[in-house]
Amino acid sequence: MNTTNPLNVLVYGATGSQAGAVPTFLLAAGHQPYVLTRTADKAAHHARAGAIVLEGDMADGNRLREISDGMDAVSLLIPFFANPAEVANYGRQAIDAAKAAGVKLLVWNTSGAILPVRTGNPSIDVRIDMQQYLQESGLPHIIIQPSVYLENLLGPWTAPFVANKNQVAYPVPADMPVSWIASDDVSALVAAALERPQLAGSNWPVSGLANPDGPALARAFSEGLGRPITYYAMPPRDFGGILDQAFGPGAGAAAASEYQRMWDFPEQRPAFRADMQPVLSELPVQMTSISQWVAARRALFSAPVTA
C-alpha cells in the first residue's frame, strides 16, 4: 500500500467482524483510522494498536457531522441486523456527514449483494435504496459487494456441527456453489480502495477465488482441520430457528425465507462468484483460501461446543 500520503479515515463498524480488520490494514499502511463506536471499551484493541476511538451513535446525525470534519476518507459499514428503516437512516446520515465535511472518498462495504430487483425483503432491498442515495449524493465513492462471508460459518448454525459431528452445516443445497470470502480479505480490499480516489465510481462484486459446492466446502474443511468432514444441507427452517435462539424470536424468518428460495427455485439461485481479476488488478490484495482460513481457526472448530 502507498504510505506517501497518510490519510485520516473514519471507520464505521470496526468493532464487528465485517470491518474489524480495516483499521489494522490502514495502520499498517501508515494511515490514521478513527473508529466510531457506541462504547469505547469495545474498540480498546484498536486504540492499543494506534487507532483513535470516537464514541458516538450512527443514529445521531449531528455527532456524525462533527466527527467527519477533517477526514480524508470514510470506510462505511451499516449494521445488517438492525431494523431496515434504521439501517437506511444510518447510511443516509453517514453519507450526508461525509459530504458536508468534504470527504474525498467513501468506500461502502455493502455486507452482501445489491440485487438488480427488489425481493420484498426490506433487509435486502435497503441496499438498493442506499446505493441510489449514495449515487445521487454526488459524493465520490467506491462500492464493494461481498458474496458470503466465511465468518458466517463460525455461527451456532455451523461451528457446533463441525466440532461435534464433523459436519459443515449450512442452509444451501449441496449442489449449490458459493464463493465464500474472508472478512479480512474484504477489509483489505476496502483499505486498498480508500487509497485510490481515482477509482471513484467503481462498483465491484467481490468473492473468494474458489467456488465450492457443499462437498467441496467440506473437503476444504477436511484439509484445514486434518480430519474428515462432510457437508450437511441444513433445512432453512432449522437455520431460522437457530437464528431465533441467537438473536431473538423472529430474527430468523427473513433469512430462512431467502435461503428457502434457493431450494424452491434453483433457476433463481444467486451467482455468488465474482470476476476477481479486474478487482485484484486495481486492488492488489492477497486472498485467503478456505482451507487456510479454517486452519487458522482450528480451535474454534475442534473444541466441544454446543448449539
Side-chain angles (χ1 to χ4, degrees), residues 250-266:
S257 175
E258 287 302 308
Y259 282 109
Q260 188 63 53
R261 287 178 60 85
M262 300 176 192
W263 291 72
D264 296 341
F265 305 101

Side-chain angles (χ1 to χ4, degrees), residues 42-291:
K42 292 184 178 179
H45 60 296
H46 289 309
R48 289 192 295 269
I52 296 173
V53 175
L54 304 170
E55 288 193 329
D57 193 311
M58 291 188 75
D60 185 348
N62 290 330
R63 178 58 173 160
L64 299 192
R65 286 189 290 273
E66 178 185 354
I67 64 176
S68 295
D69 285 340
M71 297 297 165
D72 299 301
V74 169
S75 169
L76 179 61
L77 182 89
I78 307 169
F80 178 71
F81 279 109
N83 180 291
E86 293 178 350
V87 169
N89 186 52
Y90 294 160
R92 287 192 295 264
Q93 295 197 135
I95 292 166
D96 290 346
K99 183 177 180 179
V103 166
K104 300 179 182 68
L105 182 68
L106 181 146
V107 178
W108 176 33
N109 170 2
T110 64
S111 299
I114 301 174
L115 300 182
V117 295
R118 295 183 181 275
T119 66
N121 180 345
S123 297
I124 303 297
D125 295 344
V126 69
R127 295 177 185 145
I128 298 175
D129 300 326
M130 290 311 310
Q131 176 179 238
Q132 181 177 355
Y133 193 84
L134 181 56
Q135 290 171 339
E136 292 177 351
S137 74
L139 183 68
H141 64 273
I142 295 171
I143 298 176
I144 292 179
Q145 304 180 48
S147 55
V148 183
Y149 282 107
L150 276 164
E151 281 68 21
N152 287 357
L153 301 175
L154 296 175
W157 44 84
T158 300
F161 287 83
V162 178
N164 300 325
K165 298 183 179 182
N166 290 321
Q167 294 178 329
V168 180
Y170 206 71
V172 299
D175 64 346
M176 179 177 168
V178 179
S179 296
W180 303 87
I181 189 168
S183 64
D184 281 5
D185 288 356
V186 179
S187 289
L189 292 166
V190 168
L194 287 162
E195 295 183 315
R196 294 166 169 82
Q198 71 274 16
L199 299 177
S202 299
N203 186 343
W204 284 311
V206 299
S207 73
L209 300 182
N211 194 39
D213 60 10
L217 176 65
R219 289 194 293 273
F221 264 75
S222 299
E223 180 181 347
L225 296 176
R227 68 180 198 265
I229 304 293
T230 59
Y231 183 71
Y232 168 50
M234 176 181 286
R237 182 174 60 182
D238 294 353
F239 173 71
I242 295 173
L243 278 177
D244 285 345
Q245 293 176 13
F247 299 106
S257 175
E258 287 302 308
Y259 282 109
Q260 188 63 53
R261 287 178 60 85
M262 300 176 192
W263 291 72
D264 296 341
F265 305 101
E267 71 282 358
Q268 297 181 19
R269 291 176 184 174
F272 290 111
R273 189 171 199 173
D275 181 2
M276 290 300 291
Q277 191 279 327
V279 179
L280 295 177
S281 67
E282 297 284 4
L283 307 177
V285 167
Q286 183 67 44
M287 301 293 286
T288 307
S289 72
I290 296 174
S291 60

